[in-house]
Amino acid sequence: ALERAVAIPRQPSVSRSIVLLTDGYIEAEAEVFDYVRNQLGDANFFAFGIGSSVNRFLIEGVARAGLGEPFIVTEPGEAAEAAQRLRRYIDTPVLTGIDVKFRGFAAYDVEPAKVPDLFASRPIVVFGKWRGDAAGSIEISGKTGRGAYQQSIAVSPAYADASHSAIRYLWARTRIAQLVDA
């Protein structure tokens, strides 16, 4: 079903969201996670789990792979509010066709490999490592409703600061979650 939804032709400059509504009982969780991760440049994926015993592993895994939030409804009375939360989350796409380039320094092990669309409720988050001096820039480009967008963020020399010690673990946590999902 996901492959058929992604195969529907679309305009490249328009943000497209696919919402997976399910109780989540399938046997191909890892394949779904990989598919969602590999299609991020072409669509945004959101998982909405419904039922008294939802497969949270699938719903939360799709959310991680799609870089979004899981939406889970276990009681009928929760459905309307959860649907409104989902609608608010995805109703304001800001930037699509996002490309992130690193100029003047060697970035590697960058996560995610493909950057999904930017929504007002979902920031762009990119983790990675670099070699050499912290110099150069990070270039972000994409398309808005008004046309092309480009932003350059200068990279200044980094310095060791104990208050930033948690940052190094963010990349590792993201990579470990991917490996667990696989």
Side-chain angles (χ1 to χ4, degrees), residues 95-177:
L95 189 65
T96 189
I98 298 171
D99 188 29
V100 179
K101 293 195 183 324
F102 304 94
R103 308 259 190 235
F105 66 102
Y108 66 100
D109 287 344
V110 176
E111 296 289 341
K114 294 182 180 179
V115 180
D117 292 347
L118 170 66
F119 287 82
S121 299
R122 179 177 74 182
I124 295 174
V125 178
V126 178
F127 300 107
K129 301 176 184 180
W130 82 90
R131 291 182 182 95
D133 295 329
S137 63
I138 299 171
E139 310 286 330
I140 301 171
S141 62
K143 296 176 187 81
T144 70
R146 296 185 185 125
Y149 172 87
Q150 188 166 357
Q151 179 72 38
S152 179
I153 302 168
V155 175
S156 57
Y159 61 94
D161 185 337
S163 68
H164 299 151
S165 63
I167 292 174
R168 76 178 84 175
Y169 300 108
L170 295 176
W171 174 88
R173 183 176 293 163
T174 302
R175 183 60 62 95
I176 289 169

